[in-house]
Amino acid sequence: MNFINKLSAAWTANRSLLCVGLDPDLAKMPAGLQDAHGIVTFCKAIVDATADVACAFKPQVAYFAALGAEHQLEQVCDYIRTKYPSIPLVLDAKRGDIGATAHQYAREAFDRYGADAVTVNPYMGFDSVEPYLEWPDRGVIVLCRTSNPGGSDLQFLDVGGKPLYQHVAQLVAQKWNRNGQCALVVGATFPEELRQVRAIVGDMPLLVPGVGAQGGDVQATVTAGKTADGTGMMINSSRAILYALPNHGEDFAAAARRVAIQTRDEINRYR
């Protein structure tokens, strides 16, 4: 089963467009888990608590690599693939480099970590993205309109009468998506731009960061980005779920599950 089919099946099976981001920050993790080994315990517990309400898991490479915890990332990825093989694993790496180096990054994502999909940066053009397409069953998720305020520095530059982010969306949809394996990153913090990207790319999946801690509006996001059948998005929430404040009697995993269910259900109200 390829990435797109696996994602579509997860949307249906879990009635969810929620992607759970795995961004382990030692300063925010529970006492006793604040080291590289504790990352594995923490992430496994989050995965177990949310697997039935998520359409994807998205570990962020930098949170592991900064601690020299790439081996722990391998363990977390292996756990997701083995215990929850029906849930897509998206490696958030945002790589971008020349072709030969890009091929090594693709090997890292797909062979070392076994990811179903990886995020990539299109700034260096098609030959920096093409090596990832050599794995036809994997997803290639291209940055388009990002959720950070500074994204407008480049993404709104005029390119032939349209902003750069729309040019990227058109390029990916019409030229780069040769095997039907591409998706785009479009932030929830810009619902009007999300609507315009959806109009350009049709039913292509969108990875949508920016709800939860970044403040993106769920109703506006779903309304702008959903496809005709009410799917088409992986709406990511990381910190709001991972570091949810426990209610009385809850541990961190139970708190994460509660917030994940609330987020999934809020998204579903507007589908």
Side-chain angles (χ1 to χ4, degrees):
M1 181 180 290
N2 65 31
F3 166 67
I4 301 297
N5 291 338
K6 190 172 183 178
L7 177 60
S8 180
W11 284 332
T12 300
N14 285 353
R15 298 183 299 106
S16 180
L17 305 184
L18 174 65
C19 174
V20 175
L22 300 174
D23 301 4
D25 184 340
L26 296 188
K28 298 177 181 179
M29 285 165 53
L33 298 178
Q34 295 172 328
D35 58 28
H37 297 291
I39 286 176
V40 178
T41 301
F42 177 77
C43 289
K44 284 182 176 180
I46 295 293
V47 167
D48 288 340
T50 61
D52 64 330
V53 296
C55 72
F57 288 112
K58 184 178 71 65
Q60 188 2 289
V61 171
Y63 280 87
F64 295 84
L67 300 171
E70 290 93 338
H71 177 63
Q72 284 75 19
L73 176 56
E74 289 181 17
Q75 291 179 279
V76 171
C77 291
D78 182 67
Y79 185 77
I80 294 169
R81 291 197 317 271
T82 301
K83 191 164 185 182
Y84 303 102
S86 63
I87 306 297
L89 170 61
V90 175
L91 190 71
D92 193 0
K94 300 183 179 71
R95 304 298 195 195
D97 215 318
I98 62 170
T101 306
H103 182 78
Q104 301 307 314
Y105 280 136
R107 290 183 58 208
E108 174 194 46
F110 299 142
D111 295 343
R112 180 181 183 185
Y113 295 119
D116 294 296
V118 65
T119 58
V120 301
N121 191 323
Y123 192 75
M124 292 180 69
F126 180 66
D127 60 345
S128 70
V129 173
E130 188 175 21
Y132 298 90
L133 303 177
E134 294 174 14
W135 281 258
D137 61 332
R138 310 300 174 93
V140 181
I141 306 176
V142 182
L143 296 179
C144 179
R145 179 63 175 120
T146 56
S147 58
N148 61 307
S152 299
D153 294 347
L154 295 178
Q155 294 160 18
F156 258 87
L157 293 176
D158 184 271
V159 179
K162 56 179 173 286
L164 179 59
Y165 80 89
Q166 291 185 15
H167 180 68
V168 170
Q170 196 168 45
L171 265 181
V172 175
Q174 297 180 5
K175 294 185 178 180
W176 296 6
N177 194 26
R178 298 180 302 190
N179 301 319
Q181 68 197 97
C182 290
L184 293 174
V185 176
V186 185
T189 46
F190 301 105
E192 175 55 27
E193 286 89 336
L194 177 58
R195 183 191 65 78
Q196 292 180 29
V197 170
R198 174 57 72 203
I200 291 169
V201 304
D203 290 342
M204 179 182 290
L206 303 178
L207 174 60
V208 184
V211 303
Q214 294 188 57
D217 181 85
V218 170
Q219 181 177 2
T221 297
V222 177
T223 301
K226 66 181 178 179
T227 54
D229 64 355
T231 63
M233 292 186 289
M234 298 165 278
I235 301 177
N236 185 77
S237 181
S238 300
R239 288 169 287 171
I241 292 173
L242 298 183
Y243 310 114
L245 185 65
N247 289 335
H248 180 71
E250 286 185 330
D251 63 7
F252 72 90
R257 176 172 178 77
R258 170 172 47 82
V259 174
I261 291 172
Q262 291 171 353
T263 307
R264 189 272 311 265
D265 291 348
E266 184 180 7
I267 291 168
N268 283 347
R269 277 200 292 274
Y270 304 111
R271 292 173 62 186

